[in-house]
Amino acid sequence: MLPEGGRKEDGSWGEARRMAAGAAAKLCTIWGWRWGCQSSRMVGSLSPFPSVLLLILLLLLSPAPQPAASDITNGNNEHLKREHSLIKPYQGVGSSSMPLWDFQGSTMLTSQYIRLTPDEPSKEGSIWNHQPCFLKDWEMHVHFKVHGIGKKSLHGDGFALWYTRDRLMPGPVFGSKDNFHGLAIFLDTYPNDESTERVFPYISVMVNNGSLKYDHSKDGRWTELAGCTADFRNQNHDTFLAVRYSRGRLTVMTDVEDKNEWKNCIDISGVQLPTGYYFGASAGTGDLSDNHDIISMKLFQLMVEHTPEEDNIDWTKIEPSVSFLKSPKDNVDDPTGNFRSGPLTGWKVFLLLLCALLGIIVCAVVGAVVFQKRQERNKRFY
Ligand SMILES: [Ca+2]
C-alpha cells in the first residue's frame, strides 16, 4: 500500500533544472556573459564559446531527463479536490442527500471498494461525479483492481475512465454511451481484434467531439490517440493509474508493478478539453467477465499560470479536439501504438555532450592556428 498524501516523485528533474538555471545565472553575473544570460537575440555580439559552455554546464548539472513520471504530482493533499474525489469511507455516494457521486447499473458499493461489475456476464455499471469540474489543470489518481476467475484470455472486457459532457448514460463503450463528448481512457483487458499485435491488457486514450464511434471489434484502434500495454489484471498488489491534463498536454502513467513508482504510458500534446465536464468510471462485461473495482479516485488541482489571453477564453465552450503533427493512423507501424518519441535518454545526453566538446576542441584548434598565423604575419611586417 502506498502512503496516503505523499506519493512518489519529488519533482527532482524540475528542481535540478532550477538549480542549474540558478548556477548559470550566478556564472553569468560573475563572468559577465550577458548575452548568454539575457537574450538569444543578442547572440553574435560576442564569442559563441560561453553559450556552448553554459549549455554543457546546464547539461552536466542536470540529471538525465526522466520520463514525465517526475512531473506527476506527489499527491499534495493541499490541492486535493474533495468534491471531485472518491475516497474511503465512501460518504456522499449514491443515495445520501448531498451525493458527490452517483452510480448506475450493476455498480455495488462496499466499505472497501466500488464494484462496477461483478465477475458475471452481461453486466454494466458506472459511477459519476455529481459536480462538473471547472479546473483548467488537473490530475486524477485512480486506485483500481481488475480480477476474476477467468484464465488466459477468457475474461473481459475492462473499464473506462471518463471526463465527458454527459454522465450516467449507459451504452456499449465499456458500459457507457458511444459518440461521447470529451476524454476516455480505456483499460481494455480483452483483445477483440484477433489480428492485433498489441499485448493486452492495453491502455488507450480517445478524445471525441461526439462524431466518432468506438469500434469494439478493433479495440478502438482507429480512434486511439496513443496507448501502452500494462499488466494490471489479477495482481496481488495495488494497481494505480494517473491521468494529468495541463496546457493541452495529456499524460497517463501506471503503477501496476508494485514498484511504488509511476511508469510512462501516454504523453501527448495538443489536446483541447473544455471545463465543466464530469469525471466518471464505467465497466462492462459480455460473454466474458471480471470484477472491475474502483478503490479511490483522487483529483488534484495543478497550480498552473495561464496567459491573460487564455484566461479570457470561455473554457466551457472549448470543443474537445486534438491537433497532431502526425496523424493517429500513422501509429499503425508501431506495435505499441505509441508513436511519440521519448525523452532524452542518458545515451543521447552523452552524445550531445560529446558533440559539444568536439565542437569546442575544433574551434579552439582552428582559433589557435589562425592566431598563430596572424602573429607570424605581424612579425614579418615589423
Ligand atoms: Ca477489447
Side-chain angles (χ1 to χ4, degrees), residues 125-182:
S126 63
I127 183 151
W128 288 92
N129 194 195
H130 194 72
Q131 297 181 26
C133 175
F134 290 100
L135 301 175
K136 291 172 183 164
D137 306 271
W138 48 263
E139 189 171 303
M140 176 71 90
H141 292 190
V142 183
H143 182 185
F144 66 95
K145 189 170 179 68
V146 177
H147 56 114
I149 54 170
K151 293 279 191 299
K152 291 185 179 170
S153 61
L154 295 175
H155 55 81
D157 277 293
F159 72 103
L161 298 165
W162 304 95
Y163 175 69
T164 53
R165 187 189 70 183
D166 306 311
R167 60 196 282 277
L168 287 165
M169 295 178 79
V173 187
F174 296 89
S176 197
K177 69 167 273 186
D178 206 349
N179 294 96
F180 60 92
H181 287 74

Side-chain angles (χ1 to χ4, degrees), residues 46-266:
L46 282 169
S47 150
F49 280 16
S51 70
V52 176
L53 286 172
L54 257 183
L55 179 71
I56 292 168
L57 260 172
L58 284 169
L59 284 169
L60 282 174
L61 283 167
S62 315
Q66 299 298 311
S70 46
D71 286 336
I72 289 283
T73 186
N74 60 6
N76 189 343
N77 272 331
E78 201 181 333
H79 304 306
L80 176 75
K81 292 292 159 184
R82 187 66 187 84
E83 65 272 29
H84 299 300
S85 299
L86 182 65
I87 304 166
K88 281 191 272 188
Y90 305 121
Q91 289 165 346
V93 178
S95 58
S96 68
S97 58
M98 286 280 287
L100 290 172
W101 294 79
D102 292 310
F103 58 88
Q104 170 269 322
S106 58
T107 306
M108 186 181 75
L109 186 67
T110 75
S111 62
Q112 296 303 309
Y113 53 83
I114 289 153
R115 182 154 288 171
L116 300 172
T117 72
D119 191 359
E120 295 167 18
S122 302
K123 298 284 181 188
E124 58 182 37
S126 63
I127 183 151
W128 288 92
N129 194 195
H130 194 72
Q131 297 181 26
C133 175
F134 290 100
L135 301 175
K136 291 172 183 164
D137 306 271
W138 48 263
E139 189 171 303
M140 176 71 90
H141 292 190
V142 183
H143 182 185
F144 66 95
K145 189 170 179 68
V146 177
H147 56 114
I149 54 170
K151 293 279 191 299
K152 291 185 179 170
S153 61
L154 295 175
H155 55 81
D157 277 293
F159 72 103
L161 298 165
W162 304 95
Y163 175 69
T164 53
R165 187 189 70 183
D166 306 311
R167 60 196 282 277
L168 287 165
M169 295 178 79
V173 187
F174 296 89
S176 197
K177 69 167 273 186
D178 206 349
N179 294 96
F180 60 92
H181 287 74
L183 168 73
I185 296 117
F186 303 119
L187 291 88
D188 192 344
T189 50
Y190 182 74
N192 297 72
D193 181 5
E194 287 172 359
S195 66
T196 189
E197 71 280 17
R198 292 180 296 186
V199 178
F200 279 68
Y202 188 82
I203 300 173
S204 64
V205 294
M206 175 176 172
V207 170
N208 199 351
N209 62 0
S211 67
L212 300 173
K213 277 197 175 297
Y214 178 84
D215 184 354
H216 254 299
S217 65
K218 293 288 173 192
D219 303 301
R221 183 59 175 259
W222 312 126
T223 47
E224 169 193 328
L225 298 172
C228 76
T229 294
D231 191 11
F232 56 76
R233 184 180 179 267
N234 268 359
Q235 298 292 357
N236 287 324
H237 52 261
D238 292 309
T239 46
F240 299 87
L241 185 96
V243 186
R244 162 187 273 234
Y245 178 68
S246 179
R247 290 176 170 272
R249 185 178 172 190
L250 181 73
T251 315
V252 176
M253 312 226 113
T254 59
D255 175 5
V256 298
E257 296 170 0
D258 203 20
K259 288 183 181 167
N260 193 24
E261 63 184 24
W262 293 117
K263 188 176 170 187
N264 202 6
C265 171
I266 292 161

